[in-house]
Amino acid sequence: PPCPEGMVLISRFCVDKYEAALEIAGPDGARVAHPHYERVQKGTTYYAVSKAGLFPQAYISRVEAKAACEAAGKRLCSRAEW
């Protein structure tokens, strides 16, 4: 397939099928959902996840979204990709 699992080909680019929600690592290291309606907290590592049925994260800046994507091994779309 031209794109990794969970992504679709749009023009020449692979993008996630769903907008990103956030997860954080719990005390035991397991990731748990971050409420989509709450702001992110400084000093906490968030991971962007794209799954069906999740609400996309609200109240997040581009800088915060970029950090969450990078923590998850993803990246934001470039201007050309949009």
Side-chain angles (χ1 to χ4, degrees):
C3 294
E5 185 177 339
M7 301 182 92
V8 294
L9 185 63
I10 305 292
S11 182
R12 305 175 295 158
F13 310 105
C14 293
V15 297
D16 286 332
K17 288 182 181 179
Y18 306 100
E19 290 187 62
L22 296 181
E23 293 180 341
I24 58 174
D28 62 355
R31 290 192 193 172
V32 295
H34 172 74
H36 69 278
Y37 49 82
E38 289 184 8
R39 291 272 309 135
V40 297
Q41 301 297 313
K42 291 186 189 281
T44 301
T45 301
Y46 294 89
Y47 302 89
V49 294
S50 299
K51 298 177 187 172
L54 298 178
F55 285 103
Q57 180 62 40
Y59 311 110
I60 188 168
S61 73
R62 183 182 190 287
V63 171
E64 294 161 340
K66 182 179 183 224
C69 287
E70 289 174 353
K74 298 175 177 280
R75 64 177 179 80
L76 292 176
C77 293
S78 70
R79 188 177 297 249
E81 291 167 331
W82 273 109

